[in-house]
Protein backbone atom coordinates (compact mmCIF):
# COMPACT_ATOMS: atom_id res chain seq x y z
CA UNK A 1 0.00 0.00 0.00
CA UNK A 2 1.34 3.42 -0.95
CA UNK A 3 1.97 5.89 1.81
CA UNK A 4 1.27 9.61 1.74
CA UNK A 5 4.45 11.59 2.29
CA UNK A 6 4.20 15.35 2.60
CA UNK A 7 7.20 17.63 2.17
CA UNK A 8 7.79 21.21 3.23
CA UNK A 9 10.73 23.55 2.72
CA UNK A 10 11.98 25.44 5.76
CA UNK A 11 13.25 28.97 5.18
CA UNK A 12 12.87 32.51 6.51
CA UNK A 13 9.05 32.15 6.43
CA UNK A 14 9.17 29.03 8.62
CA UNK A 15 6.43 30.30 10.98
CA UNK A 16 3.88 29.61 8.24
CA UNK A 17 4.61 25.92 8.76
CA UNK A 18 2.80 26.23 12.09
CA UNK A 19 -0.39 26.72 10.09
CA UNK A 20 0.34 24.25 7.27
CA UNK A 21 1.63 21.21 9.14
CA UNK A 22 -1.39 20.75 11.47
CA UNK A 23 -3.69 20.80 8.41
CA UNK A 24 -2.05 17.68 6.93
CA UNK A 25 -0.67 15.95 10.02
CA UNK A 26 -3.48 13.47 10.55
CA UNK A 27 -3.72 12.45 6.87
CA UNK A 28 0.01 12.11 6.24
CA UNK A 29 1.93 8.93 6.91
CA UNK A 30 5.16 10.92 7.09
CA UNK A 31 6.10 14.60 6.93
CA UNK A 32 9.49 15.77 5.72
CA UNK A 33 10.90 19.22 6.36
CA UNK A 34 13.85 20.17 4.15
CA UNK A 35 16.20 22.47 6.02
CA UNK A 36 19.43 23.92 4.69
CA UNK A 37 22.18 22.78 7.02
CA UNK A 38 23.65 26.30 7.08
CA UNK A 39 20.28 28.10 7.20
CA UNK A 40 20.96 29.63 3.79
CA UNK A 41 18.33 30.65 1.22
CA UNK A 42 18.51 29.85 -2.49
CA UNK A 43 20.03 33.32 -2.99
CA UNK A 44 22.75 32.71 -0.43
CA UNK A 45 21.24 34.83 2.35
CA UNK A 46 21.32 33.52 5.90
CA UNK A 47 18.17 33.16 8.00
CA UNK A 48 17.47 32.20 11.58
CA UNK A 49 14.89 29.88 13.09
CA UNK A 50 13.86 30.35 16.69
CA UNK A 51 14.41 27.37 18.98
CA UNK A 52 10.75 27.61 19.95
CA UNK A 53 9.80 26.44 16.45
CA UNK A 54 11.69 23.17 16.88
CA UNK A 55 10.16 22.75 20.33
CA UNK A 56 6.73 23.26 18.76
CA UNK A 57 7.49 20.57 16.16
CA UNK A 58 8.34 18.09 18.91
CA UNK A 59 5.15 18.92 20.78
CA UNK A 60 2.81 18.47 17.82
CA UNK A 61 4.56 15.35 16.50
CA UNK A 62 2.69 12.98 18.78
CA UNK A 63 2.86 10.13 16.24
CA UNK A 64 6.53 10.68 15.33
CA UNK A 65 5.73 11.43 11.69
CA UNK A 66 7.99 14.43 11.20
CA UNK A 67 11.52 14.08 9.86
CA UNK A 68 13.83 17.03 9.38
CA UNK A 69 15.96 16.46 6.32
CA UNK A 70 19.13 18.56 6.53
CA UNK A 71 21.36 19.08 3.53
CA UNK A 72 23.31 21.80 1.77
CA UNK A 73 20.63 23.20 -0.53
CA UNK A 74 22.53 26.35 -1.54
CA UNK A 75 25.08 25.94 -4.31
CA UNK A 76 26.70 29.33 -5.14
CA UNK A 77 27.21 28.47 -8.81
CA UNK A 78 23.45 27.93 -9.27
CA UNK A 79 20.83 30.66 -9.42
CA UNK A 80 17.84 30.75 -7.05
CA UNK A 81 15.52 28.85 -9.42
CA UNK A 82 18.12 26.12 -9.93
CA UNK A 83 18.68 25.82 -6.16
CA UNK A 84 14.90 25.62 -5.68
CA UNK A 85 14.57 22.85 -8.24
CA UNK A 86 17.54 20.99 -6.79
CA UNK A 87 16.18 21.15 -3.22
CA UNK A 88 12.74 19.93 -4.28
CA UNK A 89 14.30 17.07 -6.25
CA UNK A 90 16.49 15.99 -3.33
CA UNK A 91 13.49 16.22 -1.01
CA UNK A 92 11.43 14.02 -3.33
CA UNK A 93 14.21 11.41 -3.35
CA UNK A 94 14.30 11.50 0.45
CA UNK A 95 10.51 11.12 0.61
CA UNK A 96 10.76 7.76 -1.14
CA UNK A 97 10.04 6.18 -4.47
CA UNK A 98 6.70 4.39 -4.71
CA UNK A 99 4.82 6.61 -2.28
CA UNK A 100 2.40 9.46 -2.88
CA UNK A 101 4.62 12.53 -2.69
CA UNK A 102 3.09 15.91 -1.98
CA UNK A 103 5.21 19.03 -1.58
CA UNK A 104 3.44 22.03 -0.12
CA UNK A 105 4.59 25.65 -0.11
CA UNK A 106 3.32 26.97 3.19
CA UNK A 107 3.41 30.56 1.90
CA UNK A 108 0.98 29.99 -0.97
Amino acid sequence: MKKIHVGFLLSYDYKKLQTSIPLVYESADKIFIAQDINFTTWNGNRFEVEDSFFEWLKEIDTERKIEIYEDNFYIPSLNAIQNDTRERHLLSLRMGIGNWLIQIDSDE
Side-chain angles (χ1 to χ4, degrees), residues 9-35:
L9 307 181
L10 184 141
S11 192
Y12 57 87
D13 58 353
Y14 69 91
K15 289 185 179 184
K16 293 181 179 181
L17 293 173
Q18 291 177 305
T19 300
S20 300
I21 292 173
L23 295 173
V24 301
Y25 189 86
E26 191 173 316
S27 299
D29 292 301
K30 187 134 180 124
I31 296 172
F32 295 81
I33 301 174
Q35 171 188 310

Side-chain angles (χ1 to χ4, degrees), residues 3-11 17 20-21 24-25 27-36 53-54 56-57 60-61 64-71 73 87-106:
K3 294 185 177 184
I4 298 172
H5 288 182
V6 180
F8 294 95
L9 307 181
L10 184 141
S11 192
L17 293 173
S20 300
I21 292 173
V24 301
Y25 189 86
S27 299
D29 292 301
K30 187 134 180 124
I31 296 172
F32 295 81
I33 301 174
Q35 171 188 310
D36 185 83
F53 173 75
F54 295 106
W56 173 82
L57 275 179
I60 66 147
D61 192 14
R64 304 297 178 242
K65 295 180 178 185
I66 297 175
E67 176 183 325
I68 295 180
Y69 164 41
E70 291 184 307
D71 206 332
F73 297 119
E87 181 174 0
R88 291 175 190 280
H89 174 71
L90 292 172
L91 176 58
S92 69
L93 293 175
R94 182 64 171 245
M95 292 167 71
I97 295 170
N99 297 307
W100 288 98
L101 308 181
I102 303 165
Q103 291 190 22
I104 299 173
D105 289 344
S106 61

